[in-house]
Amino acid sequence: MPKEARVTTPRAGRAVSWSPDSVVLGCDYNPEQWPESVWKHDVALMNEAGITLVAINIFGWAEIEPGPGEYDFTRLDAIMDLLHSAGIRVNLGTGTSSPPAWLTTLHPEILPTAADGTRSSHGGRQAWCPSSPEFRTAALGLVQKVAERYSSHPGLALWHVSNELGCHNALCYCNTSAAAFRHWLRARYSTIDALNEAWGTAFWSQRYSDWNQIQPPRTTLSSANPAQRLDFSRFSSDELLDYYRAEAELLRGHSTIPVTTNFMVTAHIRSQNYWQWASEMDVIANDHYLDHRLPHPISELSFAADLTRGLAQGKPWMLMEQASSAVSWQPHNLAKQPGEMMRNTLTHVARGADTVCFFQWRASRHGAEKFHSALLPHAGTDTSQWRETLDLGAKLHALESLAGTRVESSVALIFSWEAWWAAEGDAQPSQDVRYLEQVHAAYEALRANGVTVDVVAPGAALDEYELVVVPSLYLVDDHSVDIITEFVERGGVAVVTFFSGIVDETDGIRLDPTGETPPGAFHDLLGGWTEQFFPVLPQTELVLDDGGIAHTWAEHVRPTSADVVAEFASGPTLGGPAITRNRFGSGAAWYVATALDEPTFADLMGRALDEAGVERLDLPAGVEVVTRSNDSDRYRFVINHGAHQIAFPADGAELLTGTAVTGSVTVPAGGVRVIRLTVEEGAMR
C-alpha cells in the first residue's frame, strides 16, 4: 500500500542559488527502469566516477501515481535515501514531463493537435497541450505531492521542473489553444482595431471584426499571415513559460531550494524565447547534443555554450544534459572518438559551465533511447567508455579551483529568437537565407580569429564591448536599434550583415510611406540603404573585386556617407557595393550586403577586430583558446580539436597534468590543457 505523504516545511537559511565550490559532475538516472538490486551497484560506481549530482524522477509520473489520486513513493523514497547516504545530491524532477496513459484516456483532449488538425496519440513523450487546464490540474496535483514529501529531504539540491519544455509540444493548434491565444492577443493589443493594424489585415481581406474569429495559424491553402504566425510563436513560448511558473511557484511555497528547468539552446530547437525565460530560473541549465548534420558541429557547440552563458548574464551555468557518445535521434548516430567526450565537456566548462551532467548514467535496455550512449554502457565497466568516464571525473576534480570564475570577452554578437521566427516565415526573398546559419557564419568568422564571444539579446547593454556583430537581424525594435547606434557613436565598431533591420516587431516593413526616409532600421548608422534585394540561386558563386567570394544573396546598395570597401565583380549587382564602412560619431559601422564564404568573412572580421582594438589570436585550425578569471586568478583553456600537436605560449601551472608551464604549453592532437596563469600574465587583461 502507498505510504502516507510526509508533509514538511522549508528549512530556514537556505539561499536560492546554485553556486558550487567546485566543478560538479552529474548525470540523469532512471531507477524506475531497473530493479532495486541494481541500484546499490550503480551508486557505488557513481562514487567511483566522482558523480556528485544525480537527476531522478524526470519521467516518473506513471510510477508514483499509477492511477488518479493513487500515490506510491516507496521506490522514490528508497533511491532518494540511497543517493543521500552515498553523499550524492539530488536534482529532483517533478515527474510531469509526460502524462500517464490513465490521464490521456480519461481526458483525450489533453493530447496536442497539429496545424492540420491531426491529434497526437498517447505514447512517445510530452503528449500534452500547454494550454490544457485538465493537464495542468493533474500535473500540479502531482507536483504538490512531490513538494510536500521531499522539500526537506537532506539530499535535495535542486528542483527540476518537467523536462525540456516545448521539445515536442511547443505548438498546439487545438480549440483550447485557440481560446488561450485569443486571450493572449487581447492582453497584447487591447482592441481588435489595434490587432488589425499590427497584423496588416487589410491584405487579402483578412480583417477581423470580433475576437472569436481569430484562430491559430492552422494549415491554409496559401501562405498564412506572417504577423499572425509570429504572434503565435510568441504566445506559445509564453504559454509554456506560464506553465513553468505555475510549477515553480508551488515548489517555492514549500522550500527555498533552487528551481530550474533544462533549456534546449541548440540548432534544431527554436520554439522558446529564452531571453524571456532566463530571469525566472534560479540557475540557467541547458541540454546540448553534438549535431553531426551541421557543417561545423564543434563551432555550434561553442556557440550554444556562449549563448547559454549570455542567458546566465555571464554567471556560471549548468550543462544539464549531454551525451557521452552517440545519441539516438539523428539519421546517423555517430559514436564519439577517444578523447572527444573530454574535449566536448571541457569546451562547455571553458565557456562558463561549472556543472556538467550527462544523459544518461546507465544505458537503457528498453525504449526509444536504448541505443543512446551512457556513462555506464551496456557492456559495463570493462570498456573504454567507462575508463573515459573515470578519467573525466578525475580531470574535473583537478579544476575545482576555477569554479565561480567568469569568461573574458570584449566582443558581443546579438542573437534574437524573435528574429529567427520572423525571418524564416513564408514568402521571403530566399528560402536559402536561414537565420541561424547566418548567425553561425558570423560566429565562425570570429572564432577563426581566435576571439571569445559573448552572445547577447537585442537591447542588451554594450558598454563593456569593443566590437558588436549583428548578423541578419531581420526583426528589431527601435530601442535595440538605438542601443547599437549609441554604441558606435561612442567609439565602438559594429559589423552588420545583410537582411538586418528589415521589419519592426509586427513583422511590418520598416519604411516611411512618404519616401522622406530610406527603408530599414540601420540606414543612418550604416551610411547607406538598400534599393533592392537580389538573392541568387544555389551553387552560384559571387566574386568581389578584392578577390573575396560570396554566395546566396546580393543587394543594390545606395551609399550616402559610407565608403565602399568591396564591390561585386560578378552577379546581378555587378559593380555595386558588397561591403561598406561608415564613420559614425567616434566609431565605425561595417555593412556586408552578401553571404561571404568562410575565408572572406574571417578576413573581414579580422579587419573589424583590429579597428576595434580587440586582440586576436593566430591559431591553427581546430584550436580554441578561452580564458576564465576572477579578481585574483586567470585560467586559460587551450582546446585542440585538430589532428596535430600544437604549442601555445603560456606560463603557469597546468591543472590537468599537474605540471609547470614555462614559455609554452604543448597540447596533443585532440587534447585539452588548462593553465592557471602566473601572476604577471594574469595581470595582463
Side-chain angles (χ1 to χ4, degrees), residues 531-554:
E531 183 174 322
Q532 188 173 352
F533 301 139
F534 285 90
V536 298
L537 293 173
Q539 314 306 319
T540 301
E541 183 178 271
L542 301 174
V543 180
L544 309 188
D545 66 353
D546 63 356
I549 303 297
H551 54 86
T552 304
W553 187 271

Side-chain angles (χ1 to χ4, degrees), residues 408 628-629 633-636 675-677 681-682 684:
E408 296 181 5
R628 293 182 57 165
S629 63
D633 296 297
R634 294 180 87 201
Y635 299 85
R636 182 154 293 160
I675 306 96
R676 185 173 186 169
L677 301 175
E681 190 169 356
M684 295 170 60

Side-chain angles (χ1 to χ4, degrees), residues 262-269 274 284-289 300 303-305 307-308 311 415 417:
N262 40 344
F263 290 173
M264 297 167 289
V265 177
T266 186
H268 63 282
I269 300 288
Y274 288 131
I284 297 297
N286 191 47
D287 292 356
H288 188 271
Y289 293 95
E300 191 276 331
F303 170 78
L307 175 49
T308 306
L311 292 164
F415 174 84
W417 273 278

Side-chain angles (χ1 to χ4, degrees), residues 318-341:
M318 170 185 289
L319 181 65
M320 189 83 84
E321 291 184 23
Q322 63 172 324
S324 59
S325 190
V327 298
S328 59
W329 45 267
Q330 294 179 20
H332 304 92
N333 295 302
L334 304 183
K336 292 183 179 179
Q337 296 299 306
E340 192 174 358
M341 178 181 74

Side-chain angles (χ1 to χ4, degrees), residues 378-420:
H378 290 134
T381 56
D382 188 15
T383 56
S384 58
Q385 174 59 64
W386 177 248
R387 287 184 282 275
E388 288 199 45
T389 296
L390 295 178
D391 187 39
L392 177 63
K395 292 293 194 298
L396 292 178
H397 179 70
L399 299 180
E400 63 181 6
S401 64
L402 64 76
T405 59
R406 293 197 176 207
V407 175
E408 296 181 5
S409 175
S410 58
V411 177
L413 184 149
I414 295 176
F415 174 84
S416 167
W417 273 278
E418 290 200 350
W420 191 357

